[in-house]
Amino acid sequence: MQKNNRFFLSIVFATLFFLLGCGEKIEPGNVEPSNKGSIKAPVVSAKIISQPLFYESVGTVNAKVVSTISSKLMGSVRKIFVREGDHVNKGDQLAVIDDRQVLATLREAKAALEQARRAEAAASASAELASVTYARYQNLMKDESASPQEFDEVKSRYQQAQAELAVAKQRVKQAEAGLSSAVVSAKDAFILAPYDGSIREKMIDVGDLASPGKPLFTLQTTGNFIVDLVLPEQYIHSVDLNQEVTVVVSAVSNKTYTGNVQEIFPAADSKSRSFVVKVRIPADKSLRAGMFARVLIPIGNTDIILIPITAVIHSGQLTGIYIVDDTQIAKFRLIRTGRTFGDSIEVLSGLQEGDRYVTAPPPTLINGMKVEIDT
């Protein structure tokens, strides 16, 4: 029985100790000092500085130009020369569409043009003969050697020959236009790359039926990239065309690029109340379309206290710095830190402007030591 009572009391005391311990909060402040000798260390005074404030927008890396290549003809796909990821140059063949029908049309167009030209030659010969005859009868009429009826008949044949020649010439022009169209159609059977780039997507296979407007390939440029980002309406006035911004790509070891604002969509999305902004970044072989990017948009300035990261001491879950008072005694003070800016870190609480602190505490520095300022 006594053993059970002792066990019960142990549990009660342990619970009370746990509750009391959890109820304490560590507030920023100074740890009680104790005199431990002296040491040399660099000391500076805390200052409030104006630091640029940024809005971090997320975006996606995309190629500068992305094109969908479609067929202009209807026919089965006979050959495909590329696949996803292949680099192509302008004019390279990507695929071939069955060209038997367009070749037949081309042959018909050539035959029609040849026939029209023969008809034009015949009409031209008839018109020339009618012109000579008409001129001769004009002279005969002056000498009154021909009757008016004969002259009228010759004149009528002359006018008819001229009209037939005009019609023949028009038919030649129509046949030439038809041939030009057939030549273009024959060329359309060969799908060519419109510019240098890489195949982003292949949407056909050999034997598929191609038709006008049906997508066959997606081609993208290589080199310069564009970051597409969405900017909330409250920050849209913080960006301008050709403005330089910082772009960070996580997949490339958090590499930082200097971007340039190229486009700002004039209208916001009615649902998200945000604007689409396009930022151009320099060429980099490590970049790939679709990568995640962070874009830092400057939106003003803020006053903060920055200290070197080397000044911060981490002791378990506590973070602090060594403050140097008017008597040159080092006191460990708890602080709360914020954002990191290069080799410096923001102090949110625990440090005020004018407070002196050790910028690079030596390993042997402890609370209560006297600090000799090392310049």
Side-chain angles (χ1 to χ4, degrees):
M1 183 68 179
Q2 292 178 353
K3 185 178 181 180
N4 290 337
N5 289 337
R6 285 197 301 271
F7 178 74
F8 176 76
L9 290 174
S10 298
I11 294 177
V12 170
F13 282 121
T15 304
L16 289 173
F17 180 80
F18 175 78
L19 293 174
L20 290 172
C22 292
E24 291 186 11
K25 293 184 178 179
I26 299 176
E27 299 292 341
N30 297 327
V31 177
E32 290 298 326
S34 60
N35 295 323
K36 302 290 183 179
S38 63
I39 193 172
K40 279 189 175 182
V43 177
V44 297
S45 297
K47 295 181 180 179
I48 294 178
I49 64 172
S50 180
Q51 187 73 13
L53 192 62
F54 296 93
Y55 171 76
E56 187 176 290
S57 177
V58 297
T60 303
V61 178
N62 284 312
K64 185 178 180 181
V65 179
V66 180
S67 304
T68 300
I69 301 175
S70 304
S71 173
K72 296 181 181 180
L73 302 176
M74 178 171 289
S76 61
V77 179
R78 293 177 56 192
K79 294 180 181 179
I80 299 176
F81 301 102
V82 294
R83 56 187 176 183
E84 286 88 347
D86 285 353
H87 179 81
V88 296
N89 296 318
K90 181 178 180 180
D92 285 353
Q93 284 192 18
L94 308 181
V96 176
I97 309 299
D98 190 350
D99 58 352
R100 287 177 293 181
Q101 183 175 352
V102 293
L103 289 179
T105 303
L106 179 61
R107 289 193 294 269
E108 291 176 0
K110 289 181 178 179
L113 177 59
E114 185 64 26
Q115 183 178 358
R117 284 176 175 171
R118 287 198 298 267
E120 181 190 22
S124 179
S126 298
E128 185 177 358
L129 177 60
S131 178
V132 172
T133 304
Y134 178 60
R136 186 168 63 251
Y137 267 79
Q138 283 180 322
N139 292 328
L140 291 176
M141 283 295 295
K142 291 179 181 179
D143 298 335
E144 297 182 354
S145 299
S147 65
Q149 182 178 356
E150 291 175 334
F151 179 76
D152 291 340
E153 290 177 355
V154 170
K155 182 179 179 181
S156 177
R157 287 195 296 269
Y158 166 73
Q159 292 175 340
Q160 183 178 358
Q162 294 297 322
E164 291 175 351
L165 177 60
V167 171
K169 289 182 177 180
Q170 184 63 31
R171 287 176 178 171
V172 168
K173 289 182 179 180
Q174 291 175 351
E176 288 175 344
L179 179 60
S180 298
S181 177
V183 170
V184 171
S185 296
K187 291 181 179 179
D188 289 339
F190 300 92
I191 309 301
L192 308 179
Y195 52 79
D196 296 351
S198 61
I199 301 299
R200 181 169 176 171
E201 187 177 4
K202 178 178 73 72
M203 294 165 278
I204 56 166
D205 290 306
V206 174
D208 288 350
L209 180 64
S211 59
K214 180 180 179 180
L216 306 179
F217 303 95
T218 301
L219 180 67
Q220 65 180 22
T221 54
T222 54
N224 290 343
F225 286 88
I226 293 290
V227 175
D228 295 328
L229 61 99
V230 177
L231 194 63
E233 61 180 3
Q234 61 264 38
Y235 301 125
I236 191 60
H237 296 297
S238 299
V239 294
D240 294 305
L241 289 176
N242 300 318
Q243 177 182 342
E244 289 189 351
V245 294
T246 300
V247 179
V248 182
V249 181
S250 304
V252 192
S253 303
N254 283 324
K255 188 173 182 179
T256 299
Y257 301 87
T258 299
N260 189 277
V261 177
Q262 294 295 294
E263 295 182 42
I264 303 174
F265 280 33
D269 180 79
S270 59
K271 295 181 180 178
S272 63
R273 306 298 178 188
S274 56
F275 293 80
V276 175
V277 178
K278 293 181 178 291
V279 177
R280 185 181 65 188
I281 55 179
D284 188 339
K285 293 181 179 179
S286 302
L287 292 174
R288 296 289 185 273
M291 284 183 171
F292 173 80
R294 292 179 289 117
V295 183
L296 304 181
I297 306 295
I299 57 175
N301 293 281
T302 183
D303 292 335
I304 60 176
I305 293 179
L306 286 182
I307 64 173
I309 294 179
T310 55
V312 180
I313 303 295
H314 298 283
S315 178
Q317 295 183 348
L318 303 179
T319 301
I321 58 175
Y322 280 104
I323 297 296
V324 179
D325 63 13
D326 294 338
T327 61
Q328 303 300 109
I329 299 299
K331 299 178 180 179
F332 185 75
R333 179 181 293 180
L334 300 178
I335 62 171
R336 186 160 61 94
T337 58
R339 296 164 295 177
T340 301
F341 299 88
D343 296 331
S344 300
I345 191 168
E346 177 186 13
V347 178
L348 300 176
S349 63
L351 185 65
Q352 297 180 351
E353 186 177 21
D355 290 347
R356 296 189 303 163
Y357 64 94
V358 180
T359 58
T364 54
L365 176 62
I366 61 175
N367 189 58
M369 273 190 171
K370 186 171 183 179
V371 177
E372 297 179 13
I373 300 177
D374 185 0
T375 58

